[in-house]
Amino acid sequence: MGTHRTSLPGVGVQYDYTTESGQHISVVVHHDGRRFLGFYEKDDPDSCRLSVPLTTAEATALAHLIDAAPIDAVRTEGINLVTEHIPLGSRSPYGGRLLGDTKARTRTGASIVAVLRTHSAHPSPGPDFRLAIGDTLVVVGTREGVDTLSEIIAEG
């Protein structure tokens, strides 16, 4: 299992996910909240065989079906505030490091309000909280701040 994040300038962010069985799935998150699911050929990672557009409400409904313990997104229509889940992938330089090392709020204005692990949740983690590969960060901030924080978490 691996997740890779790619910024799409002017569009949003693409998250590529490879399952343990080798299936490649992507989610493109547009700045306006739309999402597209992409399903790729197993033997050709560049060949998208199906793309499914989802509204924000449809993406939320699908997330609730997939996630056994989903967190309801904060409804923020009309204001520039978003809630996102940012995975801490194997290429992140923050695996094993303290949350304070990210300087998330100082660098982006976005806040990490919780860290999710396989069998636990850590609300309001302090700067001395030690991150681990596989964690999911629950982040609140402006679209720009959250996108920047996602890049920092992925690349340093």
Side-chain angles (χ1 to χ4, degrees):
M1 180 180 88
T3 303
H4 181 72
R5 180 187 186 283
T6 305
S7 291
L8 304 173
V11 176
V13 179
Q14 178 171 338
Y15 298 92
D16 291 296
Y17 180 82
T18 304
T19 66
E20 288 183 9
S21 66
Q23 296 292 313
H24 176 187
I25 301 168
S26 71
V27 177
V28 176
V29 179
H30 287 248
H31 292 308
D32 64 5
R34 292 175 298 139
R35 268 91 164 132
F36 285 80
L37 287 176
F39 300 91
Y40 294 80
E41 296 294 335
K42 195 170 186 176
D43 56 349
D44 184 359
D46 295 324
S47 178
C48 185
R49 63 181 159 93
L50 177 64
S51 176
V52 180
L54 299 171
T55 65
T56 301
E58 292 167 336
T60 300
L62 182 60
H64 283 280
L65 293 173
I66 293 172
D67 191 343
I71 293 177
D72 289 328
V74 176
R75 300 289 176 219
T76 58
E77 290 93 14
I79 59 175
N80 185 18
L81 184 67
V82 297
T83 304
E84 294 279 342
H85 290 183
I86 299 174
L88 196 79
S90 60
R91 291 197 253 176
S92 173
Y94 294 105
R97 292 176 59 187
L98 300 177
L99 179 61
D101 291 345
T102 65
K103 297 183 177 17
R105 193 170 315 148
T106 302
R107 296 167 75 184
T108 69
S111 296
I112 298 170
V113 298
V115 176
L116 308 177
R117 292 211 165 128
T118 304
H119 298 292
S120 61
H122 304 272
S124 301
D128 59 342
F129 183 88
R130 190 164 299 280
L131 298 170
I133 299 299
D135 284 351
T136 299
L137 310 180
V138 180
V139 177
V140 176
T142 63
R143 166 55 50 209
E144 297 80 16
V146 169
D147 286 348
T148 301
L149 180 55
S150 189
E151 291 174 9
I152 289 169
I153 294 300
E155 301 164 10

